[in-house]
Amino acid sequence: MEDDVASGRSAEPTTPEPGKAGKLGPQELRSQLKDRRAKFERQVEVTRADIERQVQATKAQFDATNERIEARVGRNLVNAILIGVAAGGIMLVSLIIFKVIFVVLASAVVAFAALELRKALEHTGRRVPAIPTVISAVAMQPAAFFLHDVWRWSVVLLGILLVIVWRVAEQLIATRRTDLPTLVRDLASGTFIQVYVPFLASFAVYLVAQPDGEWWTLAFLILVICVDVGAYASGLSFGKHKMAPVISPNKTWEGFAGAGVAAVVAGVLLAILMLGVPWWVGVLLGLLLLGSATVGDLAESLIKRDIGVKDMSSWLPGHGGFLDRLDSILPSAVVAYVVYLVFGSLAS
């Protein structure tokens, strides 16, 4: 053993001190941390690139689907849904919480719709004065809510008379003077606007003013929406046979059938859960509103085709104009009011 020590060899292997095995110096530690950080950043970059590619692919697929739907039905689906949800929420709050708000909203919407129709009629050379058109349209809505039915009719007649007198008075201005046939056509157009938009809309406002009328108004609005959605979904999925290709090329009998199913199912649920009337009243209301909503839609399409425009305006992206959204509601308001008068007493 002494020989081993003397020769510089140890009898046993040297064991490193505890706590110092594999210990890195400051420079090695910084280098290792730097490598780990670079590796982490590369991984983050790869992950972010993958996410961006997935988002871009999903967006491209969504845009392509939306373009196919828009080419099929002529509407931007996303904008239509967003605006529809927002408008529905505002209308719901106005009906349930404070009914006077509904009157204000109805007056504003009707005024815009009347102006849209007046502006569209200008494309055919018809001239309807804007100021009396708006005054009459707005006046009919609070009159329907606050006044007795007889006075409501008086305001309607006075509003029509105001538009007629205003247009006749314009004949005194040399630059606005026209021949008699043109004047008669302008007066007929002004009368048509008042009857078609504010007068029909006033039935919805008048219904809101009745006992529990806000629930009937909400029910018929929901039913009209269900008819529209049912026709949209069914027509988009199964539509092959055109209903009225000359008037509305996108309408199909398959869409009409889907709208009928949606109207009946929604009508029964609303009758039982909201209106408190027998289920068969819901079936009747659903079928009647199916007819009125479809006729209203086709009637407005016929007007637009006669005028030569696709939409009444572009104020509501994805929907066109206000009148493009009211086309099914206007005649349906009259139907809903009549059903309320006949069967509203059956409510439990």
Side-chain angles (χ1 to χ4, degrees):
M1 182 176 181
E2 293 177 356
D3 293 339
D4 292 336
V5 172
S7 61
R9 296 190 303 270
S10 60
E12 295 180 0
T14 303
T15 303
E17 296 181 12
K20 294 185 178 181
K23 184 175 182 181
L24 300 177
Q27 185 175 357
E28 290 83 357
L29 182 60
R30 284 195 298 270
S31 177
Q32 190 177 63
L33 291 175
K34 185 177 180 180
D35 291 341
R36 290 180 179 178
R37 180 179 178 182
K39 184 178 179 181
F40 176 74
E41 289 178 349
R42 287 195 300 269
Q43 185 64 36
V44 170
E45 187 66 25
V46 171
T47 303
R48 187 176 67 178
D50 289 339
I51 293 175
E52 288 178 352
R53 283 195 297 270
Q54 292 176 5
V55 170
Q56 290 295 331
T58 303
K59 183 178 183 300
Q61 184 178 6
F62 178 80
D63 290 342
T65 302
N66 195 34
E67 286 177 2
R68 288 196 298 269
I69 295 175
E70 187 172 355
R72 180 87 178 264
V73 300
R75 298 291 178 206
N76 186 295
L77 183 61
V78 176
N79 290 337
I81 292 175
L82 292 177
I83 292 179
V85 170
I90 295 173
M91 199 65 66
L92 182 65
V93 171
S94 68
L95 281 172
I96 295 178
I97 297 179
F98 198 42
K99 293 194 286 187
V100 175
I101 299 178
F102 180 81
V103 181
V104 176
L105 292 174
S107 300
V109 171
V110 166
F112 278 111
L115 282 176
E116 284 178 346
L117 184 53
R118 171 198 167 273
K119 185 68 175 179
L121 287 173
E122 286 186 349
H123 290 284
T124 62
R126 295 174 174 88
R127 189 166 63 203
V128 178
I131 295 177
T133 297
V134 173
I135 292 175
S136 301
V138 172
M140 288 185 198
Q141 310 318 309
F145 187 81
F146 293 107
L147 301 181
H148 189 270
D149 196 33
V150 174
W151 289 105
R152 179 172 74 96
W153 283 94
S154 300
V155 173
V156 171
L157 296 176
L158 287 174
I160 295 174
L161 183 61
L162 175 63
V163 175
I164 293 175
V165 171
W166 192 294
R167 179 63 189 91
V168 171
E170 287 182 342
Q171 288 292 98
L172 300 176
I173 304 175
T175 56
R176 300 201 173 195
R177 190 171 303 155
T178 60
D179 55 30
L180 183 58
T182 302
L183 176 62
V184 171
R185 190 178 64 172
D186 291 347
L187 296 180
S189 299
T191 303
F192 170 71
I193 292 174
Q194 294 302 313
V195 173
Y196 178 50
V197 183
F199 175 63
L200 292 183
S202 69
F203 279 90
V205 178
Y206 190 60
L207 179 57
V208 171
Q210 308 307 309
D212 294 326
E214 66 273 23
W215 300 110
W216 281 82
T217 303
L218 181 59
F220 102 76
L221 290 174
I222 292 174
L223 274 170
V224 170
I225 293 173
C226 288
V227 168
D228 193 21
V229 173
Y232 183 91
S234 183
L236 188 64
S237 302
F238 312 108
K240 293 181 179 179
H241 302 87
K242 301 295 183 181
M243 176 184 290
V246 177
I247 300 175
S248 183
N250 292 325
K251 283 197 172 298
T252 63
W253 286 108
E254 290 81 3
F256 181 76
V261 172
V264 170
V265 172
V268 171
L269 293 176
L270 289 170
I272 296 174
L273 301 177
M274 182 182 292
L275 303 179
V277 294
W279 64 269
W280 54 267
V281 176
V283 174
L284 179 63
L285 180 62
L287 292 176
L288 289 175
L289 291 182
L290 169 66
S292 62
T294 303
V295 169
D297 194 357
L298 290 174
E300 201 233 4
S301 297
L302 185 61
I303 294 171
K304 290 190 294 186
R305 183 166 293 274
D306 181 62
I307 295 173
V309 297
K310 181 181 180 294
D311 293 320
M312 286 297 177
S313 75
S314 57
W315 287 344
L316 299 176
H319 291 271
F322 287 94
L323 190 55
D324 294 309
R325 292 300 87 203
L326 292 178
D327 54 1
S328 300
I329 294 175
L330 292 174
S332 298
V334 182
V335 173
Y337 175 67
V338 172
V339 174
Y340 168 81
L341 288 181
V342 177
F343 300 106
S345 60
L346 298 178
S348 55

